[in-house]
Amino acid sequence: MVGLCVMLRTVQFMPIVAAALVASGCAAHAFRLHPVRTAFHGGNLAEAERLIGDHLENHPRERDVLRLDLAMVALADNRPAEAERLLRTVRNNFDHLEQDSPAESIWVMATDDDQKSYAGEDYEKVLVRAMLALSNLVQDGDDAEAYSLQVADKQRAIVAAATDARGVNPKAAYQQVALGPYLRGILREETHRHYDDAARSFTEVVH
């Protein structure tokens, strides 16, 4: 069981990261979900969830960003297991869609580019893993460290994949998000046995 000090030190990040995920997707998506955000920030979680459900029925191609919003509602409503399940689904779907599908590309070229499945922005692919760690942490925390490692691993993978045939990498200047190593550091510190690992993680946070 993760200790109370870990919970208190990580909960401060949740509104910031949650807001980033709740604001995910394109401008049209954000505009349509204004009533959802009004309900969410007004504390009417049941209404926010109902409205997201309506959008899921009417806009199936936005299902993954809507699941991100739904996960934030579930987490705010003290349903972290449900939030983790939704976030894991989105993470897996984004990973799958990173692999270009020739069949889909041909279909998109022949029809409408708007029909292409949304594969997530880089920041969404990183933050979904951060929120997975936090969602698991407020349960038993058994997988929180693994998720925290995924945050850094995904960032490195995104940068590495951006190098083109000329050796130019437009994402080489990406700054690393400190949340992954920070979580790992406090989890290592909490064991009262792995202070060296904790120190290395906190050093990475500082850098």
Side-chain angles (χ1 to χ4, degrees), residues 10-23 72 127 131 134 179:
T10 56
V11 72
Q12 62 184 305
F13 290 100
M14 295 179 68
I16 300 169
V17 183
L21 283 179
V22 170
M72 296 304 98
L127 288 179
M131 290 309 300
L134 292 174
L179 182 57

Side-chain angles (χ1 to χ4, degrees), residues 43-57:
N44 192 344
L45 301 180
E47 177 64 5
E49 188 166 6
R50 184 191 69 78
L51 291 169
I52 295 171
D54 290 344
H55 283 284
L56 275 167
E57 290 184 9

Side-chain angles (χ1 to χ4, degrees), residues 26-207:
C26 65
H29 171 86
F31 178 79
R32 282 196 297 271
L33 263 70
H34 179 72
V36 174
R37 293 182 173 85
T38 299
F40 180 86
H41 292 297
N44 192 344
L45 301 180
E47 177 64 5
E49 188 166 6
R50 184 191 69 78
L51 291 169
I52 295 171
D54 290 344
H55 283 284
L56 275 167
E57 290 184 9
N58 297 323
H59 303 282
R61 287 202 168 268
E62 297 178 14
R63 63 186 180 275
D64 282 327
V65 287
L66 288 168
R67 284 170 179 151
L68 292 178
D69 292 327
L70 198 57
M72 296 304 98
V73 173
L75 192 57
D77 197 34
N78 197 29
R79 291 179 278 145
E82 182 178 346
E84 184 180 357
R85 176 182 60 79
L86 288 163
L87 291 164
R88 195 164 51 239
T89 297
V90 175
R91 179 202 62 186
N92 294 344
N93 287 344
F94 282 174
D95 286 351
H96 174 73
L97 290 169
E98 276 186 333
Q99 311 302 318
D100 287 334
S101 167
E104 181 181 49
S105 297
I106 292 171
W107 172 253
V108 169
M109 289 172 61
T111 55
D112 181 358
D113 188 57
D114 289 338
Q115 295 297 312
K116 189 170 184 179
S117 298
Y118 179 69
E121 299 291 342
D122 288 347
Y123 76 91
E124 290 172 317
K125 295 171 186 176
V126 173
L127 288 179
V128 72
R129 287 162 168 82
M131 290 309 300
L132 273 166
L134 292 174
S135 297
N136 185 264
L137 191 60
V138 296
Q139 299 175 76
D140 54 25
D142 286 349
D143 295 322
E145 184 172 355
Y147 287 137
S148 70
L149 290 170
Q150 289 180 22
V151 175
D153 289 344
K154 189 60 183 179
Q155 291 178 92
R156 285 191 288 267
I158 288 170
V159 172
T163 302
D164 63 22
R166 299 169 298 167
V168 177
N169 190 334
K171 299 180 181 180
Y174 271 15
Q175 297 295 311
Q176 295 292 299
V177 176
L179 182 57
Y182 177 80
L183 284 175
R184 187 167 190 272
I186 59 177
L187 287 167
R188 295 280 84 189
E189 185 180 58
E190 183 71 7
T191 66
H192 302 293
R193 295 191 306 271
H194 302 287
Y195 291 113
D196 288 346
D197 287 344
R200 281 190 289 271
S201 294
F202 292 141
T203 299
E204 188 176 348
V205 170
V206 172
H207 289 308

